[in-house]
């Protein structure tokens, strides 16, 4: 069974304090690894897809990287508007998405 | 481009009652998904449609949950009868090519 584990569960940062979120996974044939952002009371918002080890994607203050066993989401110089829950999901060869429980990031001004 | 639409946004019912949720996917997206998200957890797939047909419903509690997608566009998810443990957010998502899934705002269900 495909498994996704995210750590830490919660992360409190000061504005400008860079940090990383971890997503470790086991999957029977990785088609893609997805990162989503979810704000309270809203549905997940797509951020990135990574397809192979060594790949990197960037968007504003966010950078996602992928290895054969895990992915990292780096937040550089975060702002309060980066506060959200970040979800990681893996898509197996059957196209099914399996999600982790998420990391809730709080950025204080 | 309009996003995935869902209604209602909130619903409170008593246990053993029935409830239905509606989803309108992004125009042109052939694949539609229903997920259940319990507080503090990631979304869990309940059912996946490709056009009108069911692709995967292996995690759908079929004794109480049902879903349909008529004409390959809108979809409804029904729970009958509801249990306390069904309290969750029900998310609808759609994709064009079974790659990136785009989510709606969700329906928050509270069963008392």
């Amino acid at each position: 069974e495909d498994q996704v584990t995210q750590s830490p569960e919660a992360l409190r940062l000061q504005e400008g304090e860079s940090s990383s979120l971890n997503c470790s996974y086991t999957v029977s044939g990785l088609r893609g690894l997805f990162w989503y952002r979810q704000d309270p009371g809203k549905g997940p918002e797509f951020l990135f897809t990574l397809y192979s080890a060594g790949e990197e994607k960037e968007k504003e203050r966010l950078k996602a990287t992928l290895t054969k066993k895990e992915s990292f989401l780096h937040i550089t110089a975060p702002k309060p508007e980066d506060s959200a829950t970040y979800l990681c999901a893996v898509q197996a060869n059957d196209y099914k998405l399996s999600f982790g429980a998420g990391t809730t990031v709080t950025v204080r001004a | 481009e309009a996003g995935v639409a869902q209604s209602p946004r909130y619903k409170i019912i008593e246990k053993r009652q029935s409830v239905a949720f509606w989803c309108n996917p992004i125009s042109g997206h052939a694949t539609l998904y229903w997920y259940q998200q319990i507080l503090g957890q990631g979304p869990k797939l309940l059912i996946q449609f490709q056009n009108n047909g069911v692709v995967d419903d292996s995690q759908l509690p079929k004794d109480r949950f049902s879903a349909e997608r008529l004409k390959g566009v809108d979809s409804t998810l029904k729970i009958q009868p509801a249990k306390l443990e069904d309290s969750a957010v029900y998310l609808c998502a759609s994709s064009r090519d079974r790659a990136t899934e785009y989510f709606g705002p969700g329906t928050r269900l509270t069963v008392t």
Side-chain angles (χ1 to χ4, degrees):
Chain A
E1 183 177 321
D2 303 334
Q3 285 198 321
V4 180
T5 303
Q6 293 188 245
S7 61
E9 290 184 9
L11 189 60
R12 294 177 63 88
L13 301 171
Q14 198 68 32
E15 184 172 5
E17 178 188 1
S18 301
S19 188
S20 294
L21 285 56
N22 177 264
C23 171
S24 62
Y25 63 89
T26 56
V27 63
S28 54
L30 180 69
R31 183 169 290 276
L33 184 139
F34 295 76
W35 282 97
Y36 285 85
R37 169 191 170 127
Q38 187 171 28
D39 292 299
K42 296 188 177 181
E45 175 189 348
F46 171 71
L47 292 174
F48 305 109
T49 309
L50 302 167
Y51 294 102
S52 57
E55 189 175 359
E56 299 182 350
K57 293 270 180 77
E58 287 190 63
K59 180 180 181 179
E60 296 181 355
R61 294 175 293 282
L62 301 177
K63 179 180 177 180
T65 62
L66 180 65
T67 72
K68 288 187 177 180
K69 293 184 178 181
E70 57 191 350
S71 177
F72 293 93
L73 185 65
H74 309 277
I75 310 178
T76 302
K79 298 182 177 182
E81 52 262 42
D82 294 322
S83 297
T85 295
Y86 292 86
L87 295 167
C88 171
V90 294
Q91 187 180 54
N93 283 332
D94 62 0
Y95 293 91
K96 186 175 176 180
L97 267 188
S98 297
F99 280 85
T103 294
T104 300
V105 175
T106 305
V107 183
R108 296 165 291 174
Chain B
E1 180 178 68
V4 177
Q6 290 188 246
S7 68
R9 292 297 316 278
Y10 306 93
K11 191 74 177 179
I12 300 175
I13 61 172
E14 295 181 352
K15 59 184 179 183
R16 292 187 291 274
Q17 286 187 326
S18 62
V19 65
F21 313 126
W22 174 83
C23 172
N24 182 245
I26 295 172
S27 178
H29 282 197
T31 311
L32 185 147
Y33 313 80
W34 284 101
Y35 286 85
Q36 180 192 60
Q37 186 175 25
I38 294 172
L39 188 63
Q41 299 181 18
K44 184 186 82 170
L45 180 68
L46 293 175
I47 188 167
Q48 177 185 344
F49 292 94
Q50 182 74 17
N51 295 309
N52 289 344
V54 175
V55 174
D56 182 354
D57 63 357
S58 58
Q59 298 192 81
L60 187 74
K62 298 181 186 63
D63 58 335
R64 298 183 301 107
F65 287 64
S66 64
E68 61 180 6
R69 189 181 185 195
L70 299 177
K71 301 181 181 178
V73 182
D74 294 6
S75 177
T76 57
L77 176 70
K78 297 179 181 178
I79 307 175
Q80 181 179 14
K83 293 185 175 182
L84 295 177
E85 58 261 36
D86 297 332
S87 294
V89 175
Y90 290 85
L91 294 162
C92 179
S94 69
S95 70
R96 183 180 301 277
D97 50 10
R98 302 179 75 186
T100 303
E101 296 180 24
Y102 296 93
F103 286 81
T107 297
R108 180 175 298 277
L109 174 67
T110 302
V111 182
T112 62

